[in-house]
Amino acid sequence: MFTLSACELTKKFKNKELSAVEITKRFLERAKGENLGALLSILEKRALNKAKSLDEKLKASEPLGLLAAVPVIVKDNIMIEGEVCTCGSKFLEDYHSSFDASVVKELEKEDAIIIAKANMDEFAMGSSNETSAYKPCDNPWKKGFSPGGSSGGSAASVAARLAPISLGTDTGGSVRQPAAFCGLYGLKPTYGRVSRYGVVAFASSLDQVGPFAHNIDDIALLSSVINRPCNKDSTSIHTPAEKYHEALSDDIKGLRIGIPTHLLEGTDPEILESFDEFIQTLKSCGATTTEICLPNNKYSVPIYYILAPAEASTNLARFDGIRYGKRSAKAKSLSEVYEMSRTDGFGKEVVQRILLGTYVLSAGFQDAYYTKAQKVRRKIFEDYDNAFNDCDIVAFPTTTIPSFKRGSITDPLTMYKQDIYTISANMAGLPALSIPSGFTKEGLPIGIQIQSKQMDDQRLMNVAKAFETKNDSYSKIPAYAEEVEA
Ligand code: GLN
């Protein structure tokens, strides 16, 4: 059952080959036995209630949703009414959400069964899942290795088949990089295509919820469910939702692929080899390639670490021990409540980012840093705009290296460079998809990234479909994750 895709599972349920309760119980059991550190809470009661109601619905021949009886895991910064939402932080250890995020509403409207919440870097700040205040998370492909971050738990749990699909969030690469590290598809949709309502904000102008899956059909199906306009998110795009899964096609004849060769320097040779094979495969499907230049891309990491902390310092002001977050028991005055609660509640990385953000927004420095960074952000957008005159998609690897040993990257700058290939899509609001393209000799997954114009998410899925059709997808469970099996 665990290697079935979401599309297959819901079909088996609708054909009465498997009941929703049966599916849910098996997946819950597997989730409870996981030893990767992928999950922060298991929603047994909620999941079983939903499953029972679905079995009754089917019996009564009532209409069923697109994701009927499909177990889904969501990152722990996405709110589910009545459930704990920690954001990977001790500060929110006891926080129970008072409402459902819009994406959760959409999932449940389509009869998905949310079974668990996934581990993550604290407030989604990190690239390795190591800043989680609760526990580290392993890469199911190799013990002791990072699943990537910040949506490390969402990726690890799908790779380990704790659910066929999951949701993460991507502010600078947090869906695509973990997808690449764990051998999965991971999509960052066009900014505004998926509602952020009920998703705890990190950097609001960059954040976007995105799906993980083992195959592109599941990504398309899940994307069809979550890409609906939302009145509660002021940045939601109000064009009708797309039905990606219905429009999915592997016909990419005439597709023009832009390759920014100048960005590839310093990338792991095995990843480059896989990238070449990826391009050759697409060419054999009728695509052509062209050299493009993204001159300002090299500034994307530096400006990200001005803009994202600036937005984060504002967004995280609400965690003060009064409005949100656990209040320090030692505090005796109002200012001590703020100071001590925030000192106790936030981890080191989060504190660092808040300080950085406050600094770049301070009166004397705002023009020198924040305003300048906004201008560079605009340039990055314009570079893409120019490039898309000559090509339909841009392709380059998702990461410069494959998964690394947990604890092996100790200086923040090296860690920040993890997102060197992913951040620019957030800066420009573009859709970007990481596609699993193979493995290194050591057995670690490799991911290739494709990006396209805003609202061109369907094209990315079609390119992935073409590649997947040619490149037999695997239904293997990583050896280490197999230990999870009871
Ligand atoms: N790794 C980046 C960071 O640490 C991106 C995180 C994200 O996309 N949430 O901020």
Side-chain angles (χ1 to χ4, degrees):
M1 182 185 296
F2 302 122
T3 54
L4 293 175
S5 69
C7 295
E8 288 164 342
L9 264 173
T10 191
K11 208 160 145 197
K12 284 200 186 292
F13 166 65
K14 288 169 185 162
N15 290 340
K16 303 191 173 159
E17 289 170 58
L18 289 169
S19 79
V21 168
E22 210 177 325
I23 295 171
T24 307
K25 280 191 173 157
R26 291 288 312 275
F27 275 97
L28 281 172
E29 205 182 303
R30 188 166 169 83
K32 281 194 220 160
E34 69 103 357
N35 54 3
L36 299 156
L39 303 177
L40 290 179
S41 51
I42 295 181
L43 315 184
E44 185 163 11
K45 218 165 126 201
R46 187 185 186 94
L48 283 173
N49 282 341
K50 179 77 182 172
K52 276 181 207 144
S53 77
L54 285 178
D55 283 336
E56 278 157 26
K57 239 173 143 178
L58 180 67
K59 219 162 127 196
S61 304
E62 284 172 34
L64 292 159
L66 287 174
L67 290 171
V70 176
V72 183
I73 289 171
V74 304
K75 187 172 177 177
D76 205 20
N77 58 352
I78 299 175
M79 310 236 256
I80 303 178
E81 191 178 342
E83 306 294 347
V84 176
C85 184
T86 69
C87 293
S89 179
K90 283 279 172 204
F91 217 168
L92 293 178
E93 203 169 17
D94 308 323
Y95 175 69
H96 287 72
S97 310
S98 53
F99 64 93
D100 282 331
S102 293
V103 287
V104 166
K105 276 219 156 63
E106 298 296 352
L107 284 176
E108 295 195 329
K109 213 192 284 168
E110 295 297 342
D111 292 330
I113 299 176
I114 305 177
I115 62 164
K117 300 197 78 186
N119 198 359
M120 58 182 283
D121 280 303
E122 187 174 7
F123 288 105
M125 298 174 186
S127 296
S128 63
N129 218 106
E130 289 167 296
T131 74
S132 165
Y134 294 93
K135 53 188 174 187
C137 179
D138 264 346
N139 187 321
W141 291 99
K142 196 160 183 174
K143 213 171 196 154
F145 275 59
S146 169
S150 63
S151 313
S154 303
S157 54
V158 171
R161 311 281 175 161
L162 307 181
I165 49 176
S166 69
L167 289 181
T169 57
D170 191 312
T171 302
S174 280
V175 167
R176 289 160 287 158
Q177 183 250 20
F181 277 16
C182 292
L184 302 170
Y185 290 85
L187 174 71
K188 184 202 88 70
T190 296
Y191 182 77
R193 196 64 280 210
V194 177
S195 172
R196 289 182 294 108
Y197 181 69
V199 181
V200 179
F202 164 11
S204 315
S205 77
L206 304 161
D207 297 342
Q208 198 62 190
V209 173
F212 289 96
H214 288 278
N215 58 72
I216 197 63
D217 285 76
D218 281 3
I219 291 281
L221 185 64
L222 183 50
S223 297
S224 298
V225 170
I226 60 171
N227 91 110
R228 297 175 179 157
C230 173
N231 289 330
K232 290 172 174 152
D233 173 357
S234 61
T235 57
S236 171
I237 295 172
H238 282 271
T239 55
E242 307 269 351
K243 290 187 176 149
Y244 302 112
H245 66 293
E246 286 178 5
L248 200 60
S249 151
D250 63 2
D251 182 5
I252 57 158
K253 264 184 234 83
L255 176 87
R256 297 168 306 159
I257 309 170
I259 304 178
T261 311
H262 66 103
L263 293 178
L264 300 180
E265 205 182 311
T267 299
D268 181 279
E270 286 189 275
I271 293 182
L272 287 178
E273 204 179 300
S274 187
F275 177 58
D276 279 344
E277 286 167 13
F278 174 82
I279 296 295
Q280 291 315 323
T281 306
L282 294 185
K283 276 183 165 174
S284 73
C285 300
T288 59
T289 56
T290 178
E291 180 76 32
I292 56 153
C293 185
L294 299 170
N296 294 291
N297 217 285
K298 57 177 179 284
Y299 302 119
S300 61
V301 173
I303 67 160
Y304 174 86
Y305 281 95
I306 294 171
L307 298 175
E311 293 188 33
S313 68
T314 313
N315 277 327
L316 270 59
R318 75 194 65 177
F319 304 107
D320 56 8
I322 297 174
R323 285 170 296 174
Y324 293 96
K326 204 151 92 187
R327 186 174 304 179
S328 167
K330 293 169 281 180
K332 290 194 189 69
S333 65
L334 182 63
S335 59
E336 275 186 12
V337 168
Y338 291 136
E339 232 178 274
M340 292 177 162
S341 303
R342 284 168 75 82
T343 305
D344 291 352
F346 289 135
K348 189 169 156 252
E349 183 63 33
V350 177
V351 169
Q352 215 156 274
R353 305 257 185 134
I354 292 172
L355 288 175
L356 193 57
T358 311
Y359 178 77
V360 298
L361 287 178
S362 58
F365 299 104
Q366 195 164 343
D367 284 349
Y369 296 110
Y370 184 77
T371 312
K372 206 165 179 180
Q374 289 287 26
K375 289 181 181 161
V376 179
R377 179 174 184 176
R378 184 72 211 166
K379 291 263 175 230
I380 290 175
F381 180 85
E382 286 167 4
D383 286 351
Y384 274 113
D385 226 24
N386 287 334
F388 287 129
N389 287 326
D390 301 323
C391 63
D392 305 307
I393 63 162
V394 172
F396 47 106
T398 310
T399 58
T400 54
I401 52 169
S403 170
F404 48 85
K405 216 171 176 212
R406 285 200 278 107
S408 65
I409 299 183
T410 47
D411 78 295
L413 288 186
T414 310
M415 192 61 96
Y416 293 173
K417 282 191 192 149
Q418 272 300 307
D419 295 311
I420 205 156
Y421 285 155
T422 49
I423 284 175
S424 53
N426 302 78
M427 288 296 164
L430 308 179
L433 173 67
S434 183
I435 300 174
S437 64
F439 293 86
T440 64
K441 286 185 201 83
E442 210 187 333
L444 292 166
I446 297 174
I448 302 302
Q449 181 185 206
I450 53 175
Q451 308 174 330
S452 60
K453 281 185 202 157
Q454 287 185 2
M455 301 302 275
D456 215 6
D457 307 44
Q458 180 81 56
R459 190 192 299 271
L460 297 183
M461 296 182 215
N462 292 353
V463 174
K465 183 75 186 167
F467 179 72
E468 190 181 83
T469 310
K470 285 261 170 173
N471 215 34
D472 253 3
S473 71
Y474 56 87
S475 60
K476 244 178 18 187
I477 298 185
Y480 171 32
E482 249 172 314
E483 292 168 21
V484 171
E485 180 65 292

